[in-house]
């Protein structure tokens, strides 16, 4: 990091943290009591704060990563500041942990962008910094910095895992991947992606070696014809690679730390008789989280005629083409590994919530070419407007269910 760029980034980090603290104060004043999933997370964290590590709420489906980190941060602060009473491990203090994660996410995004786009040397300082800032304010992610949810911590450790993979620190990456799983069990998919990038690199190398020996090849070694024959060739090569003892050994010599994490996770799944079970939440929880989808469905009038659904087909085709085009600079096997993990992280979700797409979206954006500065400015302004509107609605536009006196709020 150049000195001038470092000063700019430090100033932006400080400003971002200050603004987030002001917003945090307002949100906490308006919603002092645990809300939505916080009614599970906050009491559990408070049990850990009081040393009751053997007590567990069976309604919680995540592992205790968030609570362990919270205790690890809060306890030293409480001891140093000599804090006592209800402020210790209060809802506000627990929520503040996610603001710290937000600062870490911003820094990790910046480091990842610098690493992934290191070849782009011309006029990229402002684009790198603004890209990191814009992605850290991605509305769905930014909103949950103000509540005691697992999303900020899960995103932080997942990004940290991938950063260590890019730097070749695979033992550290596997450990951080284990930490990310403690926040969200489905992060095992992104640990697998980190291992998959190593496998893809080995396969790319073997593919080039094999095809440079054939002088009759009309296309470059790194390219695969977009045809049935090309797909068949890739499948045969993949099968041969995965059944070759020499290739498997070369992969395991590098990726064995991830294998240890995978085997440990598999053992947990067998012991726990499954991965994730949906919480048996009251119906109004699902109604509130799904209200945005309902409004989109209602006001786009897609449901009013069966032929209307075909009008969005061009949008799907363009989105798919744009998605695939963004990876044209990546190797085939890397792209296949990313696509497989992306589908595994999104398609099987039984409960559709926007926050489940935070990490897939960030991973996708990190690997896209750096946008132009005007586009980044427009994106950041748009994200800022959406964040302001979302927080305003959450704070001001409350409502009550007919059979409950509790205040309800709209959220992602």
């Amino acid at each position: 990091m150049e000195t001038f760029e470092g000063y700019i980034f430090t100033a932006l980090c400080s400003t971002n943290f200050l603004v987030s603290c002001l917003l945090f104060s307002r949100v906490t004043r308006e919603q002092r009591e645990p809300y939505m999933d916080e009614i599970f997370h906050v009491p559990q964290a408070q049990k850990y704060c009081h040393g009751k590590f053997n007590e567990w709420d069976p309604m919680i489906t995540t592992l205790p990563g968030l609570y362990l980190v919270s205790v690890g941060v809060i306890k030293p602060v409480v001891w140093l500041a000599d804090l006592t009473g209800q402020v210790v491990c209060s809802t506000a203090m627990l929520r503040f942990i996610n603001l710290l994660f937000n600062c870490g996410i911003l820094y990790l995004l910046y480091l990842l962008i610098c690493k992934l786009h290191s070849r782009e040397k011309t006029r990229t300082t402002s684009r790198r910094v603004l890209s990191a800032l814009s992605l850290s304010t991605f509305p769905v992610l930014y909103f949950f910095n103000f509540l005691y949810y697992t999303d900020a911590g899960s995103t932080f450790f997942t990004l940290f895992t991938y950063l260590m993979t890019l730097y070749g620190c695979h033992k550290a990456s596997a450990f951080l991947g284990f930490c990310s799983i403690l926040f969200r069990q489905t992060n095992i998919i992104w640990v697998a992606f980190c291992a998959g990038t190593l496998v893809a690199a080995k396969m790319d190398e073997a593919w080039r070696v094999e095809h440079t020996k054939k002088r009759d090849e009309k296309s470059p070694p790194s390219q695969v014809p977009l045809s049935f024959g090309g797909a068949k060739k890739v499948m045969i090569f993949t099968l041969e690679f995965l059944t070759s003892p020499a290739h498997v050994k070369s992969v395991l010599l590098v990726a064995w730390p991830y294998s240890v994490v995978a085997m440990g996770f598999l053992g947990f799944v067998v012991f726990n008789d499954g991965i994730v079970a949906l919480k048996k939440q009251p119906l109004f929880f699902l109604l509130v989280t799904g209200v945005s989808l309902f409004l989109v469905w209602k006001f786009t009038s897609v449901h009013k005629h069966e032929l209307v659904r075909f009008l969005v087909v061009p949008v799907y085709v363009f989105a798919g083409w744009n998605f695939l085009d963004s990876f044209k600079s990546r190797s085939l096997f890397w792209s296949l590994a990313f696509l497989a993990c992306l589908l595994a992280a999104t398609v099987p979700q039984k409960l559709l919530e926007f926050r489940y797409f935070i990490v897939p979206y960030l991973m996708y954006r990190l690997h896209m070419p750096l946008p132009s500065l005007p586009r980044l400015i427009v994106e950041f302004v748009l994200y800022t407007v959406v964040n302001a509107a979302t927080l305003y609605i959450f704070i001001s536009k409350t409502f009550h269910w007919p059979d409950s006196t509790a205040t309800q709020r709209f959220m992602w």
Side-chain angles (χ1 to χ4, degrees):
M1 184 188 299
E2 299 178 0
T3 304
F4 179 68
E5 185 175 350
Y7 289 151
I8 294 176
F9 184 73
T10 302
L12 282 177
C13 285
S14 302
T15 304
N16 177 69
F17 183 67
L18 176 60
V19 172
S20 298
C21 286
L22 294 175
L23 293 173
F24 174 83
S25 177
R26 179 64 190 279
V27 171
T28 302
R29 284 200 305 269
E30 295 294 332
Q31 182 63 48
R32 296 180 180 275
E33 299 301 319
Y35 184 68
M36 293 291 284
D37 283 9
E38 286 186 322
I39 67 173
F40 304 107
H41 295 310
V42 170
Q44 186 62 53
Q46 290 173 341
K47 290 178 182 178
Y48 274 39
C49 280
H50 293 98
K52 301 177 181 178
F53 296 100
N54 60 336
E55 295 186 15
W56 185 260
D57 184 349
M59 296 293 287
I60 297 176
T61 59
T62 57
L63 295 174
L66 178 61
Y67 319 130
L68 293 173
V69 170
S70 299
V71 173
V73 173
I74 290 175
K75 282 296 185 179
V77 173
V78 169
W79 180 74
L80 290 173
D82 195 23
L83 298 175
T84 57
Q86 296 182 350
V87 69
V88 178
C89 286
S90 62
T91 301
M93 183 175 285
L94 291 171
R95 287 174 178 170
F96 192 79
I97 298 296
N98 280 341
L99 281 192
L100 301 180
F101 276 131
N102 174 249
C103 294
I105 288 171
L106 175 57
Y107 186 54
L108 288 174
L109 287 170
Y110 175 77
L111 294 178
L112 283 165
I113 290 170
C114 290
K115 182 65 175 177
L116 291 169
H117 302 280
S118 57
R119 296 180 180 179
E120 301 180 30
K121 299 293 185 180
T122 308
R123 299 178 180 178
T124 56
T125 298
S126 56
R127 290 162 61 198
R128 286 196 298 260
V129 173
L130 191 55
S131 290
L133 181 63
S134 179
L135 289 178
S136 72
T137 57
F138 176 53
V140 184
L141 170 63
Y142 192 72
F143 176 84
F144 287 101
N145 291 329
F146 305 106
L147 297 176
Y148 193 59
Y149 274 55
T150 59
D151 300 275
S154 170
T155 303
F156 173 84
F157 280 105
T158 302
L159 294 177
F160 207 170
T161 299
Y162 188 43
L163 181 66
M164 291 296 100
T165 299
L166 294 178
Y167 276 99
C169 304
H170 300 299
K171 294 178 183 178
S173 177
F175 173 74
L176 291 166
F178 169 74
C179 294
S180 74
I181 295 170
L182 291 180
F183 279 76
R184 181 162 293 164
Q185 297 172 60
T186 52
N187 282 339
I188 185 64
I189 296 170
W190 298 110
V191 176
F193 169 68
C194 292
T197 59
L198 302 180
V199 178
K202 295 291 184 181
M203 293 181 72
D204 289 332
E205 181 182 351
W207 177 272
R208 286 191 295 269
V209 170
E210 178 178 331
H211 286 76
T212 49
K213 296 178 182 178
K214 300 180 181 179
R215 298 182 179 180
D216 58 338
E217 289 287 337
K218 297 181 180 180
S219 58
S222 60
Q223 294 183 2
V224 179
L226 296 177
S227 62
F228 176 78
K232 181 180 178 181
K233 186 183 297 183
V234 171
M235 292 177 64
I236 293 174
F237 171 79
T238 302
L239 183 61
E240 292 177 349
F241 182 91
L242 296 178
T243 54
S244 168
H247 288 147
V248 172
K249 180 180 178 181
S250 66
V251 170
L252 289 178
L253 286 175
V254 180
W256 68 264
Y258 305 102
S259 302
V260 173
V261 175
M263 289 187 292
F265 182 77
L266 182 60
F268 167 76
V269 171
V270 174
F271 176 78
N272 196 48
D273 194 24
I275 300 178
V276 178
L278 292 177
K279 296 185 181 74
K280 298 179 180 178
Q281 296 177 336
L283 181 59
F284 65 85
F285 278 17
L286 302 183
L287 289 175
V288 173
T289 55
V291 70
S292 298
L293 294 175
F294 169 76
L295 292 175
V296 170
W297 178 258
K298 179 178 176 63
F299 291 108
T300 54
S301 301
V302 174
H303 66 296
K304 292 185 177 180
H305 195 282
E306 61 179 9
L307 295 179
V308 176
R309 71 186 67 178
F310 295 104
L311 295 178
V312 294
V313 169
V315 178
Y316 298 153
V317 173
F318 174 77
W321 170 82
N322 186 65
F323 175 81
L324 294 176
D325 185 66
S326 63
F327 292 108
K328 61 184 179 182
S329 62
R330 296 284 171 178
S331 71
L332 170 68
F333 299 107
W334 187 97
S335 300
L336 290 175
F338 180 81
L339 183 60
C341 292
L342 188 67
L343 293 175
T346 54
V347 174
Q349 296 290 354
K350 295 183 179 180
L351 181 61
L352 182 58
E353 289 194 40
F354 292 110
R355 58 197 181 95
Y356 294 158
F357 298 89
I358 292 174
V359 173
Y361 173 75
L362 292 179
M363 286 292 191
Y364 168 66
R365 278 294 309 275
L366 283 169
H367 292 94
M368 287 180 62
L370 282 178
S372 63
L373 189 59
R375 179 181 171 181
L376 284 171
I377 294 174
V378 171
E379 180 184 75
F380 177 68
V381 171
L382 178 61
Y383 283 176
T384 302
V385 171
V386 173
N387 284 327
T390 304
L391 290 172
Y392 173 77
I393 292 173
F394 179 80
I395 292 171
S396 304
K397 302 299 180 180
T398 60
F399 64 98
H400 295 82
W401 295 113
D403 57 346
S404 174
T405 58
T407 300
Q408 306 299 327
R409 301 179 186 274
F410 292 100
M411 59 186 291
W412 285 107

